[in-house]
Amino acid sequence: MRVPAKPPLEGLKRTLDKQRANGHRMPRDGFLRESFSLPRDQARAKAREWLERWPKQAYWTEIESWCERPGGVIEFTMRRLPTAD
């Protein structure tokens, strides 16, 4: 019985090196995150925009964390899955 040869890994190595050089990195849990610091009304509109663009049922979109800063500014982080598989 013959053992199959190992596949070449040069293409994978090039891709990984390119991503590391660009600083592109996905979090270990697979979610994409974006943080905002906006006045209350704009923060509410931004959260609605995210939830309409990437529905919670498909992308698990949610407000991961938030806090209120002085002057009515809301600092929050939105997260979602990159695709709706």
Side-chain angles (χ1 to χ4, degrees), residues 36-85:
F36 303 94
S37 185
L38 301 167
R40 184 180 302 274
D41 292 337
Q42 290 177 11
R44 205 174 271 149
K46 180 58 78 175
R48 256 191 221 113
E49 176 187 322
W50 265 62
L51 291 166
E52 288 171 1
R53 187 169 182 187
W54 297 288
K56 182 173 185 155
Q57 295 79 3
Y59 293 91
W60 293 12
T61 305
E62 68 178 20
I63 298 171
E64 186 173 57
S65 63
W66 70 276
C67 65
E68 188 173 357
R69 299 289 182 200
V73 172
I74 307 296
E75 189 174 291
F76 63 103
T77 300
M78 298 290 297
R79 82 173 191 183
R80 69 175 175 85
L81 290 173
T83 61
D85 287 343

Side-chain angles (χ1 to χ4, degrees), residues 8-42:
L9 298 176
E10 289 306 312
L12 176 61
K13 287 178 185 177
R14 277 194 307 271
T15 302
L16 288 173
D17 289 341
K18 189 187 302 183
Q19 286 179 345
R20 288 177 182 147
N22 291 339
H24 177 74
R25 196 159 176 215
M26 182 178 270
R28 290 189 185 268
D29 63 2
F31 284 96
L32 299 176
R33 290 174 174 81
E34 193 169 341
S35 296
F36 303 94
S37 185
L38 301 167
R40 184 180 302 274
D41 292 337
Q42 290 177 11

